[in-house]
Amino acid sequence: MYEFEIRSNEYLKNSMTGYYDRDMESYKKSGILTPMHILKNLKRDISEQKLLAAKDKMKSAIKRFLARFTFSGDNDKIYVCVVPRSKAGFTEKQLYFKKAVQESVEEINLPNHILDGTDFIIRVKSTRTTHIRKEFDSVRIEPYPGIAKDTCRFHFPIKGKQILLIDDIYTIGCNVDEDFIQTLYDLGASKVFFYAVGRTVKNANTPSKKNWRAIDEIYR
């Protein structure tokens, strides 16, 4: 497990610490089809069996993080939210990462501390999928400061609450995660933590350091 700096920019007012499990490269570049790639399921052609297996792999990482996170010394309630996928019309077979987070919160079984907020942020307007080439996505709405608030519905009173925001992959320069973090603060969150299962390998990445034991074996 690693921690890194998410630096302030036009999307995020203040720098903060983020957490992730492992470095990620694209399937085209690495030739390795990870659970994260499988759960993207853009063509909706992945079998249910493969999706379930990939979901369980992701849960191993998420649950390990939640277990460590809950013993960090903070006893206040924390709501676990998920960065929604880019399209409002994605099917259930394309939302298995969200299911992985939901089930992880339930199975970690700390209801007085870690609370399920995975239905609190819902995409209502589609945006461009940032990890594929522009010409292959008919939606042209690019990330801009405030895009989270404009394209999502926030279904709960955030003011005064601590939020753990989870994404599958963090990619520097996309600024989607930064915008969601800032939006949660703008809506009154007292504290926002951020965790991604993977971080895309980029030259511009901020330095990372090992925080807890890396769990590469779950991807083998």
Side-chain angles (χ1 to χ4, degrees), residues 57-209:
K57 292 283 189 179
M58 296 292 267
K59 282 169 59 178
S60 296
I62 296 165
K63 287 166 68 176
R64 184 177 292 271
F65 177 80
L66 289 176
R68 296 285 190 174
F69 186 76
T70 57
F71 293 111
S72 64
D74 190 343
N75 294 317
D76 292 336
K77 293 181 178 180
I78 297 171
Y79 292 81
V80 179
C81 298
V82 178
V83 175
R85 297 201 64 181
S86 60
K87 301 296 184 289
F90 273 145
T91 68
E92 287 298 311
K93 286 190 68 176
Q94 294 170 302
L95 299 175
Y96 268 69
F97 179 73
K98 178 181 174 181
K99 289 184 179 181
V101 177
Q102 286 176 322
E103 292 176 14
S104 296
V105 172
E106 179 180 341
E107 292 170 17
I108 205 71
N109 195 28
L110 287 165
N112 294 323
H113 183 61
I114 298 292
L115 300 168
D116 181 13
T118 53
D119 285 326
F120 289 170
I121 307 174
I122 303 296
R123 179 78 65 189
V124 294
K125 185 176 181 180
S126 296
T127 62
R128 190 178 79 79
T129 305
T130 55
H131 66 275
I132 63 174
R133 290 169 58 181
K134 293 181 181 181
E135 57 264 38
F136 296 125
D137 194 332
S138 60
V139 179
R140 301 302 183 192
I141 301 177
E142 299 274 1
Y144 60 85
I147 191 172
K149 196 177 297 183
D150 290 348
T151 61
C152 296
R153 184 173 295 121
F154 293 78
H155 283 284
F156 73 119
I158 295 171
K159 188 174 182 179
K161 292 182 171 62
Q162 293 191 107
I163 308 294
L164 170 59
L165 184 65
I166 296 182
D167 203 356
D168 55 353
I169 303 172
Y170 172 84
T171 302
I172 194 169
C174 285
N175 290 306
V176 171
D177 293 322
E178 284 85 346
D179 194 67
F180 271 98
I181 293 167
Q182 188 59 53
T183 297
L184 290 168
Y185 274 122
D186 291 345
L187 292 174
S190 62
K191 180 70 175 178
V192 181
F193 304 91
F194 177 80
Y195 165 74
V197 179
R199 183 175 77 155
T200 304
V201 174
K202 295 282 187 181
N203 291 334
N205 279 345
T206 59
S208 64
K209 66 177 182 179

Side-chain angles (χ1 to χ4, degrees), residues 9-24:
N9 57 18
E10 63 178 322
Y11 292 80
L12 181 65
K13 291 180 181 177
N14 298 303
S15 298
M16 60 179 284
T17 298
Y19 302 92
Y20 72 99
D21 277 313
R22 65 166 296 169
D23 293 321
M24 281 289 302

